[in-house]
Amino acid sequence: MANDIKYQINVQIADNTVTKDDPNDKIFVIVSLGTADKERIIAEMMDMNPGVEPEMMRLVLDLEKRAVKRLLLNGMRVNNGLFEAVPQCRGLVRGTAWDPEANEIYVNFTQGKELREAIADVVVNVIGEKGAAMYLSSSLDAATGLGLFNATAGANLTLTGKNIKVVGDDPSVGITLTDSEGTETRIKAGAIGLNQPSKLIFLVPASLAAGDYTLTITTQFGGNSNSLLKTPRALTQTVHVAAAEEEDGGSPGGV
């Protein structure tokens, strides 16, 4: 099951603020997709194992947190594969007694073996210079509530990013989904419900079979609504599409 999970991180090129005197010194910075809270984690768990009720997922998460806290705060080292946590002391000793004003307990976290192995499988996409690039930062599937560039055939997909507004007269301008065999499906203009520089919403064709697709957004939008780029630019992103699910006699989603 774990081998079926794909990891993908977008990075941008930025100035190295540590060496301000060298304008050519650059570093990579990760494009954040936001923060995943407990409900988002439960949604991901439900996607991986839809046979378990959300209430049970929530119970398991709460029990794990309570167990980890009890183990750590009774002096045990906890290693769950993803991280290793160790309780430690901070502060100087004053006399022979514990002084809450000078001493404290904190927990130090380090990467675990499973997380290190997973990091080795991450696909890193360099999407240009920070502040000037066209990029996607997150997504939301209307049918499932999932992000991480999951989509459902016949449902709306919301994309957020920068400079992704689809405009221009060049024939290449538009949104396409290409399957593993190279068959390209173009999203019709009427299926785009929202077209803004930082947000796109479009209807994924209900006819698409389940699988991984290459999403391509091509535009002449350059960040200024009063002028267009002479040469279109494009970005690509792998999107996992789930088959349309019939619900009450119809397919989900819709603009």
Side-chain angles (χ1 to χ4, degrees):
M1 180 72 178
N3 293 333
D4 296 332
I5 300 175
K6 296 184 178 180
Y7 311 108
Q8 185 167 263
I9 288 179
N10 292 332
V11 300
Q12 292 178 283
I13 300 170
D15 291 331
N16 188 350
T17 56
V18 177
T19 56
K20 296 181 179 179
D21 295 335
D22 186 355
N24 297 317
D25 195 11
K26 304 288 186 178
I27 60 172
F28 288 114
V29 293
I30 290 177
V31 177
S32 173
L33 298 186
T35 301
D37 59 11
K38 183 171 72 172
E39 294 306 313
R40 175 58 185 276
I41 293 172
I42 291 172
E44 294 293 323
M45 293 168 67
M46 292 295 298
D47 181 57
M48 297 174 185
N49 190 346
V52 180
E53 293 294 328
E55 292 76 11
M56 181 60 68
M57 296 286 195
R58 194 171 288 108
L59 175 62
V60 170
L61 281 180
D62 289 341
L63 284 174
E64 182 189 30
K65 287 194 298 183
R66 291 174 59 190
V68 169
K69 282 191 293 185
R70 186 164 71 176
L71 292 169
L72 283 171
L73 301 184
N74 278 285
M76 292 196 69
R77 179 189 301 260
V78 173
N79 187 342
N80 67 358
L82 290 181
F83 62 82
E84 184 173 356
V86 183
Q88 296 182 334
C89 298
R90 179 182 288 141
L92 299 176
V93 176
R94 297 178 178 177
T96 59
W98 181 269
D99 183 354
E101 294 186 1
N103 310 118
E104 65 174 337
I105 299 293
Y106 73 100
V107 178
N108 185 45
F109 289 84
T110 57
Q111 293 175 177
K113 181 175 181 291
E114 292 179 31
L115 191 55
R116 289 195 301 271
E117 292 175 347
I119 289 172
D121 294 329
V122 172
V123 175
V124 178
N125 300 317
V126 181
I127 59 174
E129 296 278 346
K130 185 177 181 180
M134 172 189 182
Y135 63 82
L136 292 174
S137 58
S138 63
S139 69
L140 179 65
D141 176 16
T144 63
L146 292 176
L148 297 178
F149 299 102
N150 287 281
T152 301
N156 281 333
L157 178 63
T158 299
L159 300 172
T160 56
K162 184 173 182 179
N163 294 332
I164 56 175
K165 185 175 182 178
V166 179
V167 292
D169 298 327
D170 191 277
S172 64
V173 168
I175 305 172
T176 61
L177 288 163
T178 306
D179 65 18
S180 58
E181 297 181 355
T183 301
E184 180 182 282
T185 301
R186 179 171 286 269
I187 304 301
K188 297 179 180 179
I192 302 176
L194 185 67
N195 188 16
Q196 296 179 346
S198 60
K199 181 178 287 188
L200 281 175
I201 300 178
F202 66 89
L203 184 66
V204 179
S207 59
L208 291 186
D212 288 338
Y213 290 77
T214 299
L215 167 72
T216 302
I217 301 174
T218 306
T219 182
Q220 289 175 264
F221 183 76
N224 187 335
S225 59
N226 296 323
S227 61
L228 298 178
L229 298 173
K230 292 182 179 180
T231 302
R233 62 180 175 181
L235 63 78
T236 60
Q237 170 69 49
T238 300
V239 173
H240 180 74
V241 176
E245 296 181 4
E246 291 197 355
E247 189 174 331
D248 295 329
S251 58
V255 177

